[in-house]
C-alpha cells in the first residue's frame, strides 16, 4: 500500500519507568498530547528507518537456505517548520532554569510519537512509537541574503522497547481495518491516554 502525504505528527511525554503519559505542567499539554498542526506550521517530513534489523544468510549444502533478521531499531528523522520552543525543549529533555534558559538533562526525556499518513486506497496509516528519545543534533544557522535563510526544527528520534506493544518498538495501524479503534490506538501508543468528555483526538483524519 502506497503512503500519501504526512497528515499529522503527535508527541507526548511519558514516564520512563511506567511509560504512562504525563499531563499538564509535567507533560506537553493539558491532556498530554501535542499535535504539530497549523499553530506550528506543521511537519515537513518524518523519515522512518530501521523497521527491520540487519539480515544474515544461513547456508546449507553450499546455498543460502534462509535469512535471519536482527531486532528492529527504528529511527525517525523529523523535520518541522516552527515547533513551539518550550515544547521542543521538553521533548529533548531539556530543563528550564525559570529565567528563559534551558539546559540538557543528564538523561533524555522519554516520549511517545504517532505519525499519520494517507494511502492511495483511502483512510489513514499510522506508525506508533510508544517509547522513544529525541535529540537535536545540530542547528545550521545561516546569514540572510536576498532571501531569509530559515533553519527548520529537526529531531532524531530513536524508538525503544514499548511495554504496551509486547516489548516491540513500534506498531502500524490502518484506519480502514474492520477492527481499527482510534481510542484503543491512542491508549496503546500514547501511554494509556484516554480522551476527556468532548475532547477530539485531532489526529488529522
Amino acid at each position: 500500500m502506497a503512503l500519501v502525504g504526512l497528515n499529522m505528527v503527535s508527541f507526548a511525554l511519558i514516564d520512563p519507568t511506567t511509560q504512562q503519559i504525563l499531563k499538564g505542567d509535567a507533560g506537553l499539554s493539558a491532556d498530554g498530547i501535542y499535535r504539530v498542526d497549523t499553530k506550528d506550521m506543521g511537519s515537513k517530513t518524518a523519515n522512518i528507518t530501521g523497521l527491520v534489523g540487519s539480515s544474515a544468510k544461513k547456508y546449507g549444502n553450499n546455498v543460502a537456505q534462509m535469512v535471519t533478521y536482527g531486532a528492529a531499531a527504528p529511527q525517525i528523522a523529523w523535520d518541522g517548520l516552527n515547533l513551539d520552543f518550550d515544547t521542543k525543549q521538553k521533548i529533548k529533555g531539556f530543563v528550564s532554569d525559570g529565567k528563559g534558559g534551558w539546559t540538557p538533562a543528564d538523561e533524555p526525556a522519554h516520549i511517545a510519537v504517532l505519525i499519520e499518513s494517507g494511502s492511495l486506497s483511502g483512510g489513514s496509516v499510522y506508525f506508533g512509537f510508544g517509547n522513544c528519545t529525541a535529540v537535536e543534533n545540530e542547528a545550521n544557522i545561516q546569514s540572510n541574503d536576498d532571501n531569509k535563510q530559515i533553519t527548520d526544527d529537526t529531531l532524531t528520534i530513536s524508538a525503544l522497547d514499548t511495554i504496551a506493544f509486547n516489548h516491540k518498538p513500534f506498531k502500524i495501524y490502518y484506519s480502514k481495518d474492520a477492527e481499527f479503534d482510534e481510542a484503543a490506538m491512542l491508549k496503546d501508543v500514547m501511554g494509556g491516554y484516554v480522551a476527556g468528555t468532548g475532547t477530539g483526538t485531532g489526529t488529522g483524519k
Side-chain angles (χ1 to χ4, degrees), residues 47-81:
N47 184 31
I48 305 168
T49 57
L51 294 176
V52 177
S54 58
S55 63
K57 292 180 180 179
K58 299 293 184 179
Y59 287 82
N61 291 352
N62 300 323
V63 296
Q65 300 283 356
M66 63 181 295
V67 179
T68 60
Y69 294 91
Q75 278 202 333
I76 306 157
W78 177 82
D79 187 327
L81 287 172

Side-chain angles (χ1 to χ4, degrees), residues 67 75 87 102 112 116 171 184:
V67 179
Q75 278 202 333
T87 297
W102 295 78
E116 179 190 356
K171 258 189 181 182

Side-chain angles (χ1 to χ4, degrees), residues 36-49:
V36 184
D37 54 22
T38 53
K39 69 183 179 304
D40 310 285
M41 299 177 68
S43 298
K44 285 176 62 176
T45 59
N47 184 31
I48 305 168
T49 57

Side-chain angles (χ1 to χ4, degrees), residues 13-28:
L13 287 180
I14 61 169
D15 182 278
T17 302
T18 65
Q19 297 181 11
Q20 292 299 291
I21 194 168
L22 301 176
K23 303 177 182 180
D25 291 341
L28 300 180

Side-chain angles (χ1 to χ4, degrees), residues 33-156:
I33 296 180
Y34 190 92
R35 297 164 180 87
V36 184
D37 54 22
T38 53
K39 69 183 179 304
D40 310 285
M41 299 177 68
S43 298
K44 285 176 62 176
T45 59
N47 184 31
I48 305 168
T49 57
L51 294 176
V52 177
S54 58
S55 63
K57 292 180 180 179
K58 299 293 184 179
Y59 287 82
N61 291 352
N62 300 323
V63 296
Q65 300 283 356
M66 63 181 295
V67 179
T68 60
Y69 294 91
Q75 278 202 333
I76 306 157
W78 177 82
D79 187 327
L81 287 172
N82 193 34
L83 183 61
D84 175 74
F85 179 83
D86 286 7
T87 297
K88 184 168 74 169
Q89 307 318 309
K90 289 182 178 181
I91 287 171
K92 295 186 298 180
F94 280 39
V95 178
S96 172
D97 64 3
K99 298 177 290 184
W102 295 78
T103 54
D106 292 335
E107 297 291 336
H110 284 245
I111 62 172
V113 183
L114 184 64
I115 299 168
E116 179 190 356
S117 179
S119 78
L120 286 178
S121 302
S124 292
V125 177
Y126 299 88
F127 290 82
F129 304 89
N131 181 27
C132 309
T133 58
V135 295
E136 185 177 32
N137 291 321
E138 61 185 13
N140 183 19
I141 302 168
Q142 304 173 58
S143 173
N144 289 336
D145 46 32
D146 291 339
N147 298 297
K148 287 184 179 179
Q149 300 300 314
I150 297 173
T151 302
D152 292 350
D153 292 305
T154 58
L155 296 172
T156 300

